[in-house]
Amino acid sequence: MIEQSGSGGTATSTTTQPGVVNNVVYERGERLLENAPLPETFRTLGQHPDALAWIGLFRPDADLLATLADAFGLHELAIEDALNAHQRPKVERYGDTRFMVLRAAYYDDAAERITFGELHVFSGHNFVVTVRHGESPRLTPVRRRMETTPGAFDEGAEAIVYAILDAVVDGFDPVVAGLSNDIDEIETQVFDGDPEVSRRIYQLNREVIEFERAVSPLVGILDVLSEGFVDGAVGVELQQYLRDVADHVVRAKERIEEFRVLLRDVLAVHTNLVAQRQSEESQRLSAASNRQAEEARLISGWAAILFVPSLIGSIYGMNFRFMPELDWPLGYPFALLLMVVASFSLWAVFKRRGWL
């Protein structure tokens, strides 16, 4: 038979029917027939009115599902949905049978991300057929727990459906804990200025949305199941168990709402911090630019002041024969005085304008 495993596990088959994971017929909680060909399973159910078949399928083909549809009266629309993965969580009733789609969620500690699995469940008064297209969710622990719990099969197919639902919902608790831890880490990253935090916030928000899509429909599914599985009646004890599962779903849904609010607030804080850092950086750049401008004015002012005496000196240093005041006894002192007056005048102008 196919051994159920979590994500990343393998599935091996020792049954003669490809796609059949487990094929067990129970009577009063005891195994009456196991892993027999499907025709023999159908005959056994016909011969034992109190018998109940739990058949697990792994990536079944259309022929296998058609065989089960003929034997159990499964609706063609439900068969079509079961052949195709990626269905939304739902429950539908077709006469005396029900078809349910569940999405299980698991938290991968190593990768710090959520992985999802999809499970299709057909149920009737004497059978439950589960269909998986991936390696998860695991159902072997559910089967073993029911087989070792006295009276677990007393409610028939309804008990199996409840146990599957309970296992899927119990798997939400580690996911909630993992998401809570991730958000705490993100808050630390935000205030540490980690540049990769934006990407992580977005990815985590997408995971929370996907998780919500797996959890939220269960509220309506449990309401429908509480009204009656197949025959319209649910035992008092099973009703209590369903209410307990519903409480777990509501708590998970409330935590999801908290996570969405926290992520929204964290993103807003991160955006504000980024804007604040950008503003501070702009102010620093502006201050540096202002300092550079002041230094440029200072250098330009002194350069202009020094340029005037250099110009005068260079002109009179040409030693041409005919130059103004060349033969004047006071020409040299006059040139020096001109340099000083011109330089002082420029210094006064630049000083008044704040350049120096």
Side-chain angles (χ1 to χ4, degrees), residues 55-242:
I55 302 173
L57 306 180
F58 180 77
R59 294 176 182 167
D61 56 26
D63 293 337
L64 177 55
L65 286 178
T67 299
L68 292 169
D70 291 339
F72 296 131
L74 306 181
H75 197 277
E76 59 181 6
L77 293 178
I79 293 296
E80 182 179 348
D81 286 344
L83 281 171
N84 302 295
H86 310 296
Q87 300 291 324
R88 63 177 179 83
K90 61 181 179 178
V91 60
E92 295 175 338
R93 182 169 183 170
Y94 299 97
D96 293 334
T97 65
R98 284 192 185 277
F99 175 65
M100 182 169 61
V101 179
L102 301 174
R103 292 195 71 195
Y106 301 92
Y107 186 79
D108 188 339
D109 288 315
E112 292 188 332
R113 62 186 300 269
I114 306 174
T115 59
F116 296 93
E118 188 173 323
L119 179 66
H120 300 175
V121 182
F122 295 93
S123 61
H125 74 281
N126 65 346
F127 72 90
V128 173
V129 177
T130 57
V131 180
R132 293 184 301 119
H133 290 277
E135 298 295 336
S136 60
R138 299 182 60 191
L139 294 181
T140 298
V142 179
R143 187 186 293 268
R144 290 174 179 168
R145 185 169 62 251
M146 291 194 68
E147 290 177 347
T148 56
T149 303
F153 288 93
D154 289 351
E155 295 285 348
E158 290 86 345
I160 297 176
V161 173
Y162 155 74
I164 293 172
L165 266 169
D166 185 52
V168 169
V169 173
D170 282 346
F172 293 160
D173 289 339
V175 176
V176 169
L179 287 173
S180 179
N181 183 67
D182 286 346
I183 292 176
D184 290 341
E185 292 178 356
I186 283 176
E187 290 175 343
T188 302
Q189 287 180 282
V190 165
F191 290 102
D192 287 345
D194 190 337
E196 294 296 323
V197 71
S198 297
R199 181 186 299 274
R200 192 175 183 193
I201 291 174
Y202 174 78
Q203 292 174 342
L204 189 60
N205 190 57
R206 292 301 308 169
E207 289 184 9
V208 170
I209 291 173
E210 288 298 316
F211 186 37
E212 182 180 29
R213 290 173 179 171
V215 173
S216 294
L218 289 177
V219 175
I221 290 175
L222 286 164
D223 288 341
V224 172
L225 295 181
S226 296
E227 295 173 358
F229 281 75
V230 175
D231 56 7
V234 179
V236 175
E237 186 175 3
L238 190 55
Q239 283 276 12
Q240 295 173 347
Y241 287 136
L242 287 174

Side-chain angles (χ1 to χ4, degrees), residues 289-322:
S289 177
N290 291 335
R291 287 195 300 271
Q292 290 176 352
E294 291 175 0
E295 292 172 356
R297 288 196 300 268
L298 180 63
I299 294 172
S300 299
W302 283 112
I305 292 172
L306 294 175
F307 174 74
V308 172
S310 298
L311 177 64
I312 296 173
S314 63
I315 292 175
Y316 277 90
M318 293 180 182
N319 296 321
F320 289 112
R321 183 175 181 181
F322 301 101

Side-chain angles (χ1 to χ4, degrees), residues 280-294:
E280 292 173 353
E281 184 64 23
S282 297
Q283 291 175 0
R284 285 195 295 269
L285 291 174
S286 178
S289 177
N290 291 335
R291 287 195 300 271
Q292 290 176 352
E294 291 175 0

